Amino acid sequence: MKVCIYGAGAIGGYLGVELARAGADVSLVARGGHLEAMQTNGVKLLINGEERVARVRATDNPAELGPQDYVFIALKAHSVPGVVDKMRPLLGNDTSVVTAVNGVPYWYFYKHGGALENRTLETIDPAGRQWEVLRPERAIGCIVYPATEVVAPGVIQHIYGDKFPIGEPSGDITPRVSALSALMEKAGLRAPVMTNIRDELWLKLWGNLCFNPISALTHATLEVIAADPGTRAVARAMMLEAQAIAEKLGVRFRVDVERRINGAGSVGAHKTSMLQDLERDRPMEIDPLVSVVQEMGRMLELPTPTLDVVLALVRQRASTAGLGGHLAVPPLTAEDIERPKKVALN
């Protein structure tokens, strides 16, 4: 089975090592010193007190690799639109694209049903380029729960977790998703096949859409945000706004808001990925975690007043830090806020 990991950083490198050890024909797409180290020394994974090394093909030129059975996209979500055309050589007639990215994926409204069937989302897929090139019918959803870190070029430190729920946008249990689950299980990864992958996606996004921007603005860790009455109230308000959107789209949350916030707080003195990116002068995943929820709210004409304020602030924080990032959907105006509309989703 040919598997390409496009974006062999912390999560991608972890996946690559474990899948290669399970017998998959793994190739990695990376760049810079990290790529050079993997080409010279293999990919090193530090996990459970041991060092695991996989010597697999690594390149910065996907054209060298040819069509794959599965392509894992393990990039930061905001990086994906810029490399879509480079992925073309990896895509054959039967290639599956596994979206192991944070936030809402490009295929979200494929096989969704209802009035928004086959709609694209401008904040995460400008001009529908991912939809056009990667194609939604190739997509398999994947939720990433493990925490890993690149501690040196070519060296991945596993911190915790091994769960990667996967699922078809349609909810069907197909041969290709079953085969992928079996491969990942063989690799020691928990990859349950979900018949409601969007529910799982929103459960993770629910925390990310509030804790990430709040932490970037305050530099507080999860336990502080969850324990402080003020920031907890902001997070709760954002989550309730997002819940109204998700539920109107048919999503069902298996936990309530308070339990979700408490779960995040129990992680302890953990810095969110957005705060880590800010501290390292890297672009933050604002659009796939926050802007896209605002965009969905506009589609349904549901108000998101707290999210709008936090989003405006974190966008400005990124701008003042010189981190840039595109803004596909214009910010809400005072008129938008003062005159909300009511629309039913049929």
Side-chain angles (χ1 to χ4, degrees):
M1 188 178 293
K2 297 184 69 175
V3 178
C4 177
I5 311 294
Y6 202 110
I11 288 295
Y14 169 44
L15 282 167
V17 171
E18 298 298 66
L19 292 173
R21 284 164 48 88
D25 179 4
V26 172
S27 57
L28 308 176
V29 176
R31 62 184 182 180
H34 184 56
L35 170 61
E36 293 172 4
M38 292 190 293
Q39 290 172 327
T40 302
N41 304 312
V43 193
K44 296 181 181 180
L45 174 64
L46 309 179
I47 184 170
N48 298 330
E50 64 175 287
E51 179 179 285
R52 301 174 183 175
V53 180
R55 297 188 178 275
V56 299
R57 189 168 186 178
T59 182
D60 58 2
N61 182 12
E64 298 176 357
L65 304 176
Q68 304 289 307
D69 295 310
Y70 296 93
V71 175
F72 277 82
I73 300 178
L75 297 164
K76 289 283 190 179
H78 55 256
S79 302
V80 179
V83 298
V84 167
D85 286 323
K86 294 181 180 179
M87 295 183 187
R88 288 181 185 271
L90 304 172
L91 305 175
N93 292 334
D94 298 318
T95 301
S96 297
V97 174
V98 186
T99 52
V101 296
N102 276 332
V104 176
Y106 75 93
W107 52 261
Y108 189 87
F109 287 115
Y110 176 67
K111 298 289 186 179
H112 182 274
L116 297 180
E117 174 79 13
N118 291 334
R119 284 283 295 271
T120 58
L121 291 154
E122 195 68 16
T123 43
I124 57 166
D125 188 18
R129 292 291 294 144
Q130 293 180 66
W131 188 282
E132 176 189 354
V133 176
L134 302 180
R135 302 300 307 161
E137 62 268 21
R138 288 195 177 103
I140 294 175
C142 178
I143 315 301
V144 177
Y145 284 114
T148 55
E149 183 179 358
V150 177
V151 293
V155 182
I156 312 298
Q157 174 71 61
H158 177 267
I159 300 170
Y160 65 80
D162 60 3
K163 189 175 181 182
F164 295 84
I166 59 176
E168 295 277 5
S170 66
D172 296 333
I173 300 179
T174 60
R176 67 172 187 165
V177 78
S178 297
L180 179 61
S181 176
L183 173 63
M184 295 177 75
E185 296 285 348
K186 184 179 178 182
L189 308 170
R190 289 187 295 152
V193 178
M194 312 294 290
T195 58
N196 53 351
I197 193 65
R198 291 179 184 83
D199 287 7
E200 196 73 22
L201 184 155
W202 273 96
L203 186 62
K204 184 178 181 185
L205 176 62
W206 210 18
N208 281 342
L209 67 89
C210 59
F211 292 116
N212 272 272
I214 291 172
S215 69
L217 293 168
T218 64
H219 288 232
T221 60
L222 286 176
E223 66 176 355
V224 173
I225 295 170
D228 179 85
T231 50
R232 185 184 180 100
V234 174
R236 184 177 187 276
M238 293 176 73
M239 292 171 74
L240 288 175
E241 290 168 9
Q243 183 176 357
I245 294 167
E247 289 182 343
K248 195 161 187 177
L249 293 172
V251 171
R252 294 293 176 264
F253 292 87
R254 64 175 182 266
V255 300
D256 63 23
V257 171
E258 300 302 329
R259 182 176 172 187
R260 182 67 177 86
I261 295 175
N262 291 339
S266 70
V267 174
H270 175 71
K271 293 182 179 181
T272 69
S273 60
M274 197 176 283
L275 176 55
Q276 291 180 47
D277 286 340
L278 177 64
E279 291 180 341
R280 295 170 184 173
D281 295 322
R282 298 174 180 170
M284 297 181 286
E285 291 183 297
I286 296 172
D287 285 349
L289 298 184
V290 192
S291 304
V292 70
V293 181
Q294 183 191 69
E295 182 180 2
M296 287 176 154
R298 291 183 184 185
M299 285 180 169
L300 301 175
E301 299 188 344
L302 290 174
T304 53
T306 311
L307 186 146
D308 296 341
V309 170
V310 173
L311 177 56
L313 293 173
V314 78
R315 280 174 175 162
Q316 189 170 97
R317 184 68 189 90
S319 178
T320 56
L323 301 182
H326 77 276
L327 176 57
V329 175
L332 285 174
T333 66
E335 184 180 50
D336 292 326
I337 295 169
E338 291 169 3
R339 293 194 297 178
K341 301 173 185 177
K342 296 180 181 179
V343 169
L345 182 63
N346 296 322

